[in-house]
Amino acid sequence: MLLLKLGFLVFLAQAEEPICSLLGSTEQPELKKDGDLVIGGIFSFRAEQDPVMETFQDFNFREFKFAQTVIFAIEEINQNPDILSGISLGYKIYNDCGTNNILRAAMTLVNGHRSKITTQTCSEPDTVQAIVGHSGSAPTIAFARVVGRFQIPVISHFATCACLSNRKAFPSFFRTIPSDYYQSRALAQLVKHFGWTWVGAISNGNAYGINGMASFMGAAHEEGLCIEYSEAFEETGPRKELLRIVEVIKKSTSKVIVTFMSYVEIKLLVAEMHNQNISGLQWIGSEAWITDDSLAVGEGQTDLIGSIGFSAPNSQIPGLGPFLQKVHPSQFPDSLFLRDFWEAVFDCSLSPQNLTHRRQCNGTEDLRDVQNQFTDVTEVRFINNVYKAVYAVAHAIHNLQTCQSSQGPFINGSCAIPREIQPWQVLHYLQRVNFTTPNGEHVSFDSNGDVPAQYDLINLQNIKKGTIEMATIDFQNPMKSLNPMNICELQVPVSVCSESCPPGTRKAVQKGKPVCCYDCLPCPVGEISNATDSTDCLKCSEEYWPNKRGDTCISKEIEYLSYSEIMGIIIATYAFLGVLFTMVTAMIFYCYKETPIVRANNSELSFLLLFSLTLCFLCSLTFIGQPTEWSCMLRHTAFGITFVLCISCVLGKTLVVLMAFRATLPGSNVMKWFGPLQQRLTVVCFTSVQALICTLWLVLTPPVPVKNMTYYKDRIILECNLGSTGAFWAVLGYIGLLAVLCFVLAFLARKLPDNFNEAKFITFSMLIFCAVWITFIPAYVSSPGKFTVAVEIFAILASSSGLLLCIFSPKCYVIIMKPEKNTKRHIISSTLSSLKQVMRPKNLLACDFITLTLVVPVFLIHT
């Protein structure tokens, strides 16, 4: 029995051993109030010491205002019968600086003030239901990761690091300020809107700065922006690191700096740059410093005028201003900070033992009589976030309290016990809150504990002693493009690595440099770019060509030999003059048809030759003008047939002379077989062969108009496709064959008396004709576009003119200018003198002599 009693006492002693015991001394909260349920808060009331700062600057009025806003919201909730009926809220607010101290304060809020806890969960009602704070991302990351293991909600009003949205690492973290994920993208769009494609980036060296800058750089890359440099430093880091970064800024070419840092670092950086006389830069600020009042004091602060950035939307909290003015040390007699704050504001001492530098406070001091940053409620951007955080916890507890039995979210539809509410239960309900605060702000959280993104666009327009003046532009959705009409007027600097490439050029990235550094290269031939900063050029369609600027495709110039251009006018004029001279010649021959010269030159063939020459001059006109189906078929066939007709006439005239002077035997009747009928048949037969060739050509593969877009890239040549190249060269070959034959025969008759023989003139005309068409072939093949047609016309006109001038001009000269030589007597005397020269042994063979003696009388009788 004694052993049983002893064993029972040992068991009781072991049962009373604490499971959790507090290591070290317990830190007391700066501000506290008991309640049924307690909400914790962690803030940093004191700013870093700065020798250039004036009085009060070792106090962070904004952080102290955050703490008072927690108290204001809790008091407001406790007085509201519609929320948390029968439950009063208390608070424990810690004032700590530095990550280690903040983490210690958080663990104190988790454990409570008891030195020993005997329950298995190490969590009793002394533990807070939620923690509001901290303002910085780095310390919040440190303690939110630990507190999350205890499933105690942490709600930050100012910690924006996107990493805190990771539910695995921070399962109990919430915030009433948007994540930097949205802010970084909004900043990237803002930079892009102003055309700043070449920027610098500087951040804190902590998690907030590094993660924020990484998120911005990713967004900037998506927007096509380039980062010239990316640097990070800490306030507590070595000075040489700050000097190195300032040197980087000094040597850079970008004029815009995007910053993710706190107001402490930005002031240090700007002060050093001011000392080194570096100015003229455009600052883009994160919400951590862009609206901070402490920017108004410090060296070089005017260099920040013109800075732009995003911040939480401003709002109004009814009753907060009077509440702050009622703050008094008597409310929290154990608060050392509130005592120091009061003494600094009123420059008096609350302690009778410490009157060395200040007077004794007389009790009449009232914050309603002073104006400072603490009592100013015109800017409550982040204060409103604190207000919403407290109300979010209250609504979560209220929803938990009003849970209907069997309809709860826990096992078997159970609800939490109102008097035994646990933080993990509050966490469950906090994830699902959806309410509107008394000042009209809607609050809800997504699955990551984030609120919807809402921002104001801030422009620092002036900084005076103690205050900053800013313009606020409402900007609700950072994921949409900025509306330029919503942005305040700025003197916008230029910050680009390379100037924009105008339309007509494309960007070519410089080797080894970011994509924003490029050269502007003209678009290749036949391609355009119709937008600024095009990366590629677009090829024009087949019938279009770039304009001179290379920014649009225009219809290609249509080229053909027309009557409106100088070349066409000259050719047409020459052709009409040829027709005119031919008709004048015909009229002269007709008027003097009975004279010896006209009769001696076979007047019938002469008139037919003149008619064919007229057609030759006229057919050249078919080559001028826009090609059509009819003109293409007519131009080559008409040219071929008329020229054969012309050469046939010349050939007939040559044969008449040869036949007359080569009849060697007495009584020869050779002229009988080559009379006028035979001459006509000769012309018809030669011409019919050409007509047959042309007919087959038109029937089988006729010439057709085509658009030649291969010879020139910038214009279209309207020309006639020959259809059959063989047929074309057959036509020319036949003409050439007749011309050569005529030339050979005329050459053989060159020594006959020239008074009644035109063989010399035919020889010269055929020589010109052959020379023209021999040179025509290479010129025709190598000439481009409309010049091909011009070469062909030139050959037609030149050869026609040669025939007209060489054959008919000497006769017309004698008829008009020397009528005395156009008589039988003169012709006979001239013939006899010519015969004497021809009959010389060196000039005349025996057969020639016989021919002349036999034929001359016949010729004279004929004439």
Side-chain angles (χ1 to χ4, degrees):
M1 189 66 179
L2 182 61
L3 290 175
L4 288 174
K5 289 182 179 180
L6 183 61
F8 182 71
L9 291 175
V10 171
F11 174 77
L12 290 177
Q14 290 177 345
E16 291 177 358
E17 283 292 322
I19 293 177
C20 296
S21 59
L22 187 65
L23 298 178
S25 59
T26 302
E27 180 184 3
Q28 295 299 317
E30 188 75 38
L31 308 172
K32 68 176 181 178
K33 179 182 179 181
D34 294 332
D36 297 328
L37 299 174
V38 178
I39 297 176
I42 304 176
F43 303 96
S44 300
F45 297 165
R46 295 191 180 274
E48 298 296 328
Q49 293 288 343
D50 192 332
V52 300
M53 293 183 179
E54 299 184 1
T55 312
F56 310 149
Q57 289 308 306
D58 57 340
F59 300 105
N60 192 325
F61 285 166
R62 185 166 67 175
E63 288 287 304
F64 187 46
K65 199 186 301 186
F66 290 160
Q68 291 297 325
T69 303
V70 172
I71 298 173
F72 169 77
I74 289 176
E75 296 292 345
E76 194 175 62
I77 292 168
N78 287 337
Q79 295 173 11
N80 187 351
D82 296 330
I83 184 172
L84 293 181
S85 177
I87 296 179
S88 64
L89 293 179
Y91 51 85
K92 296 178 182 178
I93 299 175
Y94 282 83
N95 168 30
D96 281 290
C97 294
T99 301
N100 292 334
N101 293 332
I102 292 171
L103 181 59
R104 184 183 300 112
M107 296 311 299
T108 301
L109 290 172
V110 170
N111 293 328
H113 293 161
R114 298 184 182 183
S115 59
K116 295 180 181 180
I117 300 176
T118 58
T119 61
Q120 290 289 336
T121 62
C122 291
S123 177
E124 294 185 349
D126 199 36
T127 300
V128 295
Q129 303 302 316
I131 300 175
V132 178
H134 183 268
S135 300
S137 291
T140 304
I141 292 171
F143 76 81
R145 191 186 304 272
V146 177
V147 173
R149 299 294 179 264
F150 296 95
Q151 294 187 308
I152 298 176
V154 175
I155 308 178
S156 177
H157 56 286
F158 214 155
T160 58
C161 181
C163 59
L164 288 166
S165 297
N166 184 351
R167 265 290 181 249
K168 290 184 178 180
F170 308 97
S172 67
F173 178 78
F174 298 83
R175 54 183 156 197
T176 52
I177 189 171
S179 165
D180 280 339
Y181 172 85
Y182 301 104
Q183 182 181 199
S184 59
R185 277 153 179 75
L187 289 174
Q189 291 181 8
L190 179 67
V191 171
K192 182 180 179 180
H193 168 78
F194 286 107
W196 297 324
T197 58
W198 188 238
V199 299
I202 304 178
S203 67
N204 279 4
N206 55 23
Y208 163 73
I210 293 173
N211 284 278
M213 189 53 67
S215 182
F216 168 77
M217 292 177 69
H221 179 72
E222 293 175 4
E223 297 290 345
L225 309 178
C226 296
I227 310 299
E228 183 181 12
Y229 57 86
S230 178
E231 302 290 343
F233 74 100
E234 287 276 13
E235 171 205 1
T236 56
R239 177 173 171 76
K240 64 179 181 180
E241 187 65 16
L242 176 62
L243 296 177
R244 185 190 64 81
I245 293 175
V246 172
E247 191 65 23
V248 170
I249 297 173
K250 185 188 298 184
K251 294 179 179 179
S252 67
T253 58
S254 58
K255 301 299 180 182
V256 176
I257 302 178
V258 180
T259 60
F260 264 89
M261 57 180 64
S262 70
Y263 68 93
V264 177
E265 281 82 9
I266 191 67
K267 290 173 70 174
L268 287 174
L269 180 60
V270 171
E272 184 58 38
M273 292 176 62
H274 180 75
N275 292 335
Q276 297 192 28
N277 198 26
I278 303 174
S279 59
L281 298 175
Q282 175 66 51
W283 295 89
I284 309 294
S286 62
E287 58 193 353
W289 67 266
I290 194 67
T291 59
D292 198 290
D293 291 330
S294 64
L295 297 176
V297 180
E299 193 173 6
Q301 75 276 11
T302 55
D303 292 339
L304 293 174
I305 294 176
S307 300
I308 53 177
F310 290 100
S311 182
N314 199 8
S315 184
Q316 292 183 349
I317 303 178
L320 179 61
F323 178 83
L324 295 177
Q325 292 175 344
K326 293 178 182 178
V327 171
H328 195 275
S330 59
Q331 297 172 341
F332 305 98
D334 296 331
S335 173
L336 297 178
F337 174 81
L338 185 54
R339 175 184 294 271
D340 295 339
F341 167 79
W342 195 265
E343 291 179 347
V345 169
F346 295 103
D347 195 22
C348 65
S349 176
L350 292 174
S351 175
Q353 291 79 19
N354 187 17
L355 298 176
T356 306
H357 303 291
R358 290 177 176 150
R359 63 178 178 84
Q360 176 73 40
C361 296
N362 55 24
T364 61
E365 293 80 13
D366 196 323
L367 288 177
R368 288 174 292 187
D369 299 330
V370 297
Q371 291 184 349
N372 56 24
Q373 296 175 8
F374 176 73
T375 57
D376 181 16
V377 290
T378 57
E379 291 284 335
V380 294
R381 301 176 185 277
F382 304 105
I383 294 173
N384 189 45
N385 290 343
V386 176
Y387 186 71
K388 291 188 289 187
V390 175
Y391 264 91
V393 176
H395 275 274
I397 298 174
H398 176 77
N399 294 339
L400 184 151
Q401 181 189 20
T402 56
C403 173
Q404 299 294 325
S405 180
S406 73
Q407 297 180 6
F410 306 119
I411 299 175
N412 298 325
S414 62
C415 298
I417 302 174
R419 293 296 175 180
E420 297 181 9
I421 295 175
Q422 300 297 318
W424 64 268
Q425 296 170 329
V426 177
L427 175 63
H428 177 85
Y429 278 92
L430 189 61
Q431 184 67 66
R432 294 164 176 76
V433 294
N434 192 337
F435 65 95
T436 301
T437 61
N439 64 340
E441 297 280 344
H442 180 76
V443 179
S444 63
F445 300 103
D446 63 14
S447 59
N448 296 322
D450 293 326
V451 293
Q454 288 185 326
Y455 291 106
D456 280 353
L457 182 58
I458 304 298
N459 173 216
L460 298 185
Q461 296 191 331
N462 198 8
I463 295 180
K464 296 180 180 179
K465 192 74 171 179
T467 60
I468 60 175
E469 297 178 5
M470 65 185 103
T472 302
I473 310 301
D474 187 19
F475 181 54
Q476 296 295 327
N477 193 344
M479 302 307 291
K480 291 184 179 180
S481 297
L482 293 172
N483 182 358
M485 298 301 295
N486 288 342
I487 298 178
C488 46
E489 295 184 2
L490 300 173
Q491 187 176 358
V492 182
V494 176
S495 184
V496 295
C497 182
S498 300
E499 294 293 334
S500 296
C501 290
T505 62
R506 66 177 181 86
K507 296 194 298 185
V509 178
Q510 297 175 359
K511 187 175 182 180
K513 292 188 177 181
V515 294
C516 298
C517 301
Y518 48 80
D519 296 318
C520 297
L521 301 181
C523 286
V525 176
E527 298 183 3
I528 66 161
S529 64
N530 53 10
T532 303
D533 289 336
S534 296
T535 56
D536 294 303
C537 295
L538 304 176
K539 191 172 184 178
C540 293
S541 58
E542 192 175 21
E543 295 190 6
Y544 290 85
W545 192 253
N547 59 357
K548 291 183 178 180
R549 296 188 301 273
D551 57 2
T552 186
C553 290
I554 59 177
S555 298
K556 287 183 178 180
E557 179 185 352
I558 305 297
E559 181 181 279
Y560 59 88
L561 187 59
S562 67
Y563 288 102
S564 59
E565 58 182 298
I566 296 177
M567 185 184 299
I569 294 172
I570 293 174
I571 291 174
T573 303
Y574 190 88
F576 283 116
L577 288 175
V579 172
L580 179 62
F581 287 135
T582 305
M583 295 178 67
V584 170
T585 303
M587 290 179 63
I588 292 173
F589 267 58
Y590 180 78
C591 294
Y592 295 92
K593 62 183 177 180
E594 301 299 332
T595 60
I597 288 183
V598 176
R599 296 180 66 186
N601 281 277
N602 197 335
S603 59
E604 186 176 341
L605 287 179
S606 295
F607 283 113
L608 186 57
L609 177 58
L610 288 170
F611 173 71
S612 64
L613 286 174
T614 303
L615 294 180
C616 287
F617 282 115
L618 290 176
C619 79
S620 64
L621 299 177
T622 62
F623 289 83
I624 306 175
Q626 182 173 345
T628 62
E629 289 188 15
W630 286 104
S631 66
C632 286
M633 291 189 293
L634 181 62
R635 61 174 56 171
H636 291 101
T637 55
F639 147 70
I641 294 173
T642 54
F643 256 80
V644 167
L645 177 61
C646 180
I647 301 300
S648 299
C649 293
V650 176
L651 184 59
K653 293 170 69 68
T654 307
L655 288 173
V656 168
V657 175
L658 287 176
M659 290 298 178
F661 287 91
R662 292 295 179 181
T664 58
L665 296 176
S668 174
N669 58 353
V670 67
M671 290 301 296
K672 174 183 176 182
W673 300 103
F674 201 73
L677 178 60
Q678 287 77 15
Q679 295 171 21
R680 296 189 195 102
L681 289 175
T682 301
V683 172
V684 171
C685 290
F686 284 139
T687 307
S688 298
V689 174
Q690 185 75 303
L692 178 62
I693 296 173
C694 292
T695 301
L696 293 175
W697 185 8
L698 294 179
V699 171
L700 298 178
T701 53
V704 292
V706 295
K707 294 180 179 179
N708 187 341
M709 292 180 281
T710 59
Y711 199 92
Y712 292 114
K713 293 182 178 180
D714 60 340
R715 54 185 183 269
I716 300 173
I717 301 173
L718 290 183
E719 61 184 10
C720 290
N721 187 320
L722 295 175
S724 172
T725 306
F728 173 71
W729 290 111
V731 169
L732 289 184
Y734 185 66
I735 295 173
L737 177 63
L738 294 181
V740 171
L741 179 61
C742 186
F743 173 73
V744 171
L745 295 177
F747 180 77
L748 293 175
R750 71 190 185 284
K751 295 180 181 180
L752 296 179
D754 51 349
N755 278 326
F756 52 87
N757 174 34
E758 55 184 342
K760 282 186 178 180
F761 303 126
I762 294 175
T763 302
F764 283 122
S765 65
M766 288 297 102
L767 187 62
I768 295 173
F769 186 92
C770 292
V772 167
W773 286 99
I774 289 173
T775 57
F776 160 79
I777 295 174
Y780 179 83
V781 172
S782 60
S783 297
K786 61 184 178 182
F787 297 103
T788 304
V789 178
V791 166
E792 195 167 356
I793 296 174
F794 172 78
I796 295 172
L797 296 178
S799 55
S800 301
S801 301
L803 290 173
L804 179 64
L805 293 175
C806 292
I807 294 176
F808 292 101
S809 59
K811 311 300 185 294
C812 292
Y813 174 76
V814 173
I815 293 171
I816 303 300
M817 305 303 295
K818 302 288 183 180
E820 67 276 6
K821 295 182 178 181
N822 191 12
T823 61
K824 286 185 179 182
R825 184 180 300 277
H826 182 269
I827 291 175
I828 292 172
S829 61
S830 297
T831 301
L832 292 176
S833 62
S834 298
L835 286 174
K836 292 178 181 180
Q837 296 178 359
V838 174
M839 292 171 64
R840 291 176 183 175
K842 63 178 182 179
N843 296 329
L844 187 64
L845 298 176
C847 60
D848 294 327
F849 174 75
I850 296 171
T851 301
L852 289 172
T853 56
L854 294 174
V855 174
V856 167
V858 177
F859 173 76
L860 292 175
I861 293 171
H862 177 72
T863 58

